[in-house]
Amino acid sequence: MAAPVTRAEKTRRTRRRMLDAAAGLFVERGWSGATVEDIARRAEVGVQTVYFTFGNKRALLKEVLDTAIAGDTDPAATLDRPWARAVLAAPDPAEQLTLQAAGARRVLERAAPVLEVVRAAAASEPELAELWRTSMEQRHTVQLAFARALVDKTDGGLRDGHDATSAADLAFTVLGPETHGLLVTVRGWTPDRWERWAADALVRQLLP
């Protein structure tokens, strides 16, 4: 006989149902087209349940984005996650860059559609412009930590005089959702092809 579902588990499942409903509607209809009422209806909860749980629509979108990037609702920071720790611990510079590209691919396969919702709305919605800026700053912070680790692994330094900051800028661009979207979504590249290209581009641009 199955154990009864606890109240905490019911709450967790309801929250996840609301996040899944919101993610689907934001991607389908965009920021303005996805109403809290529609999200509540798809999640089969009351509108007040959505507001009570998340506070407002922007906070809901932020949690949808955070969950898509992380792949779960665990609040652990990106740099504390196993894939990022593996990047930092990789002994060989080329292996590190390959792992960075692989990690970025997994994140973008989950999060790119939601990131595009935020980016598209940022031009006309000040509160989402702030969310987009924060997202970019967080992505660059992660790439800067990776770049500092990369510099430490290269005895002769990086190619063409790159330092950690400019290496992070380059990785931020190559592994960003904008570049991924152009090649995968617009031009139809497979995720495998994009990952191989991204790793090769980073190795060619950064390593002697």
Side-chain angles (χ1 to χ4, degrees):
M1 182 177 178
V5 178
T6 65
R7 176 176 292 183
E9 177 62 17
K10 287 181 180 177
T11 300
R12 188 195 67 79
R13 291 181 183 179
T14 300
R15 187 186 195 95
R16 186 67 203 219
R17 200 163 68 246
M18 288 186 284
L19 288 170
D20 289 344
L25 285 167
F26 281 133
V27 171
E28 291 168 20
R29 303 180 186 178
W31 164 254
S32 59
T35 67
V36 173
E37 290 77 10
D38 288 339
I39 291 167
R41 190 177 302 112
R42 181 171 290 191
E44 299 180 340
V45 299
V47 172
Q48 288 307 313
T49 300
V50 179
Y51 282 115
F52 178 79
T53 304
F54 299 101
N56 56 49
K57 187 177 171 183
R58 179 195 179 280
L60 173 55
L61 177 57
K62 181 183 183 301
E63 188 158 339
V64 167
L65 179 59
D66 290 344
T67 301
I69 290 171
D72 55 47
T73 55
D74 188 331
T78 297
L79 291 172
D80 293 329
R81 291 183 172 273
W83 77 267
R85 292 201 299 268
V87 169
L88 294 169
D92 177 71
E95 179 185 356
Q96 175 182 321
L97 294 172
T98 298
L99 289 174
Q100 280 179 241
R105 170 191 169 176
R106 290 193 296 272
V107 170
L108 290 170
E109 283 183 318
R110 296 190 302 265
V114 184
L115 282 164
E116 177 57 22
V117 172
V118 180
R119 187 203 64 76
S124 58
E125 300 285 345
E127 59 183 344
L128 295 191
E130 179 186 355
L131 180 59
W132 180 246
R133 283 193 300 271
T134 299
S135 174
M136 288 194 293
E137 289 167 1
Q138 290 171 339
R139 286 191 283 119
H140 194 275
T141 296
V142 170
Q143 294 304 332
L144 184 57
F146 290 161
R148 287 171 174 159
L150 186 70
V151 170
D152 290 341
K153 296 169 189 175
T154 53
D155 294 334
L158 300 179
R159 184 175 182 177
D160 292 337
H162 279 294
D163 60 9
T165 300
S166 62
D169 293 343
L170 196 152
F172 174 79
T173 302
V174 171
L175 302 177
E178 301 88 350
T179 304
H180 178 271
L182 285 172
L183 293 176
V184 175
T185 305
V186 177
R187 297 305 308 158
W189 284 27
T190 65
D192 278 341
R193 184 183 180 189
W194 179 85
E195 180 184 333
R196 290 194 304 270
W197 167 81
D200 183 65
L202 292 176
V203 168
R204 290 176 183 272
Q205 288 293 316
L206 293 175
L207 299 187

